[in-house]
Amino acid sequence: TTLLQEGYDEFLVTGDVYRRDEIDSSHYPIFHQMEGVKMFTPEELSGASTPEERLKIVEQDLKHGLEGMAKELFGDVEMRWVDAYF
């Protein structure tokens, strides 16, 4: 909430995560996690009249931002999106 109170409307937060999982050949219980926040203005969503259309605008913005960050970090690499949930 501090960042929002300071007037930021989009930002990333990174941190270390520690779990009580057992270490094995494919799992390690310590990793980094990143979360992002972006507040949309009514004007940014004005082209959408339904919740589904607003969701599509937000989804496209998220994908564009993540692809841009990946391109900046790793260069011009192949990217793809997989619709999967876990």
Side-chain angles (χ1 to χ4, degrees):
T1 58
T2 302
L3 293 171
L4 291 171
Q5 290 171 344
E6 290 177 1
Y8 293 99
D9 58 3
E10 52 186 64
F11 51 88
L12 296 173
V13 179
T14 59
D16 296 330
V17 178
Y18 303 92
R19 291 191 175 169
R20 295 182 182 177
D21 299 345
E22 293 293 323
I23 298 173
D24 62 31
S25 62
S26 63
H27 295 92
Y28 194 69
I30 302 169
F31 56 93
H32 306 289
Q33 182 168 316
M34 180 179 284
E35 297 185 16
V37 171
K38 178 173 181 180
M39 305 298 290
F40 288 85
T41 64
E43 292 78 25
E44 290 175 294
L45 301 175
S46 64
S49 58
T50 66
E52 291 80 12
E53 290 173 349
R54 288 189 287 277
L55 179 61
K56 196 67 174 170
I57 291 171
V58 171
E59 177 186 7
Q60 291 303 317
D61 184 82
L62 174 62
K63 287 181 177 181
H64 177 75
L66 291 173
E67 288 170 353
M69 183 175 65
K71 191 171 189 174
E72 184 69 28
L73 292 171
F74 306 113
D76 194 20
V77 297
E78 179 181 344
M79 291 180 247
R80 63 187 171 108
W81 290 97
V82 178
D83 288 330
Y85 302 90
F86 59 93

